[in-house]
Amino acid sequence: MAASIVEHGEDAFRKLFKFYKRRNPPPDFIDVVDFSKGLKNEKVVNAELSPTAISRNDAHIAGLQPVQEWKAFGLRGYPGFIFISNPFLPGSQQHWVKQCLKVDRAYLGEERTSDEEQRFRKAGTKTLLEKLRWVTLGYHYNWDTKTYSAEHYTPFPADLQTLSRYVAAACGFSAFTAEAGILNYYRSDSSLGIHVDESELDHTRPLLSFSFGQTAVFLLGGTKREDPGTAMFMHSGDIMVMSGPSRLLYHAVPCIVAAPTGALLPPPLLQGLDQSPLEDSQVHRVKEEDWEVCAKYIQTSRINMTVRQVLGLGQSFPPAETQRQTPSASGETYHEVDPEGGEDLNPKKRKNSTESW
Ligand code: OGA
Ligand code: MN
């Protein structure tokens, strides 16, 4: 790989972003950290979890393996960053893919609401799913004011709430409450520009990120936009936790790694759940005819769910008036797109879709 992309310097992170975003010729992935290979890379270290924070039964209910069996890693130079290499139970990932794709109910054979019907008509001949770029959950993020507010709220999905609580607890955050979520939908040519997630009011709470479907390259940078970064793969089922000193680091997704044509789904998605999961299970078997539709989509796409706690203990939203007048602390735009980044998942360019699940 060209030495210039790893050197420290003014534009190191942007260079890295552009390097992996390049299509012709395609980038060399040799320097991308692959946590599925464990400690083979000298930058990768083991991360300590709290194995007793959730019981085997609780883990099972959320579709997760017992915490004792999770492979959790840290990255040298990034304290507070935890990477959990696919801790899902065989079969349970299909549930999350389906939940994320339920946003176009008709796609899954259900009836559309009139609002959905209207959106569908606007979308024209392309299905909503093909056009879908992001969905917000809980306290819905306002991309224009870069704020969350009490007014724009829908109950956070219970299954994702449980999953998030357990993952946070295993990582040492026992009081985490999922309050806002952003689902990002990536086609094979999508990317997500360089940004920091700083709109949440309490930055002592971790940010959780769950990845399903096609593999992505994720870039983790520093506290300044131009700081150098590290590239890593996110495979289906991988979970990332940004906490402590890593909570406010710049990051981006420059590319989705193209699966060879005709390739099967990522292995963890090939299997479904049994007919009868535990009675109180939060994850459910996806009906065959629904999975057919999901599989077709996820064969060439990636879905990422990020989960955030917005308010800390005793915190509440400032009145709307104040919010509008308060510029974001660093002047950075949430999900700001690299100006030369091309077709990024830019909220300004994206069609909104909210209040689903
Ligand atoms: C985000 C984000 C990363 C991803 O939504 O803020 O950083 O992997 N997503 O999609
Ligand atoms: Mn982010």
Side-chain angles (χ1 to χ4, degrees):
M1 180 204 293
S4 62
I5 78 152
V6 286
E7 80 190 5
H8 295 222
E10 206 200 337
D11 277 319
F13 199 67
R14 182 188 300 238
K15 273 188 191 162
L16 203 59
F17 183 86
K18 285 164 93 176
F19 178 86
Y20 287 110
K21 196 174 158 58
R22 192 183 69 192
R23 247 176 269 282
N24 235 330
D28 186 341
F29 293 119
I30 190 130
D31 285 343
V32 182
V33 175
D34 192 344
F35 288 98
S36 70
K37 302 214 157 68
L39 300 175
K40 283 213 179 110
N41 190 313
E42 56 178 22
K43 293 179 195 155
V44 177
V45 295
N46 276 317
E48 278 292 319
L49 296 180
S50 314
T52 54
I54 55 173
S55 68
R56 288 180 85 90
N57 191 57
D58 284 348
H60 198 281
I61 281 169
L64 294 164
Q65 295 174 29
V67 179
Q68 293 81 346
E69 281 161 43
W70 295 8
K71 294 183 191 76
F73 304 103
L75 198 56
R76 276 186 217 283
Y78 298 90
F81 177 79
I82 303 170
F83 193 103
I84 308 164
S85 197
N86 183 17
F88 289 92
L89 283 170
S92 64
Q93 287 189 37
Q94 289 191 357
H95 167 85
W96 299 107
V97 171
K98 189 215 149 189
Q99 292 296 76
C100 293
L101 295 185
K102 260 188 358 192
V103 291
D104 185 357
R105 268 179 261 218
Y107 208 82
L108 293 174
E110 292 169 36
E111 238 172 81
R112 290 192 187 101
T113 62
S114 60
D115 184 44
E116 283 167 341
E117 188 58 41
Q118 231 174 8
R119 275 199 258 149
F120 180 78
R121 290 203 179 143
K122 267 197 211 145
T125 49
K126 269 191 162 187
T127 69
L128 255 192
L129 269 191
E130 270 174 78
K131 295 209 150 193
L132 190 60
R133 290 295 173 266
W134 55 276
V135 161
T136 54
L137 306 168
Y139 289 121
H140 298 278
Y141 190 69
N142 182 324
W143 306 96
D144 296 324
T145 60
K146 300 175 198 75
T147 58
Y148 299 95
S149 74
E151 284 78 48
H152 199 191
Y153 174 81
T154 46
F156 197 90
D159 52 357
L160 187 52
Q161 171 69 258
T162 306
L163 174 72
S164 304
R165 186 152 42 88
Y166 291 167
V167 168
C171 293
F173 299 92
S174 55
F176 182 82
T177 309
E179 292 174 332
I182 298 177
L183 312 179
N184 284 314
Y185 300 80
Y186 297 80
R187 307 312 305 262
S188 52
D189 57 353
S190 308
S191 58
L192 177 65
I194 301 165
H195 70 280
V196 173
D197 296 280
E198 60 184 1
S199 300
E200 297 73 24
L201 302 185
D202 184 355
H203 296 149
T204 67
R205 309 295 167 135
L207 194 144
L208 313 182
S209 167
F210 303 87
S211 193
F212 300 104
Q214 300 307 311
T215 295
V217 174
F218 181 88
L219 299 182
L220 189 59
T223 51
K224 294 198 290 299
R225 198 178 230 283
E226 63 274 17
D227 285 344
T230 301
M232 63 197 81
F233 287 122
M234 269 195 104
H235 300 299
S236 196
D238 288 348
I239 302 177
M240 222 179 242
V241 178
M242 291 170 78
S243 69
S246 285
R247 174 64 182 78
L248 293 173
L249 296 183
Y250 276 93
H251 56 278
V253 179
C255 69
I256 302 301
V257 183
T261 15
L264 293 172
L265 287 172
L269 286 170
L270 285 171
Q271 193 180 343
L273 280 174
D274 289 345
Q275 206 66 8
S276 50
L278 294 183
E279 211 178 286
D280 45 358
S281 184
Q282 294 281 323
V283 293
H284 300 286
R285 203 183 92 84
V286 180
K287 282 189 280 177
E288 235 160 78
E289 61 267 35
D290 285 350
W291 183 247
E292 231 174 79
V293 178
C294 295
K296 190 164 165 243
Y297 178 82
I298 208 72
Q299 219 155 26
T300 53
S301 312
R302 167 184 187 247
I303 301 171
N304 183 263
M305 319 189 287
T306 60
V307 178
R308 305 114 194 275
Q309 175 162 352
V310 178
L311 301 168
L313 204 65
Q315 276 182 329
S316 55
F317 290 109
E321 257 322 275
T322 346
Q323 279 199 8
R324 245 177 277 127
Q325 288 161 9
T326 311
S328 86
S330 70
E332 292 290 351
T333 317
Y334 183 88
H335 278 206
E336 187 183 333
V337 167
D338 189 292
E340 297 167 65
E343 258 269 38
D344 290 279
L345 290 173
N346 181 352
K348 296 271 157 57
K349 289 187 213 155
R350 287 189 252 165
K351 290 276 184 314
N352 191 359
S353 179
T354 60
E355 297 168 43
S356 299
W357 200 284

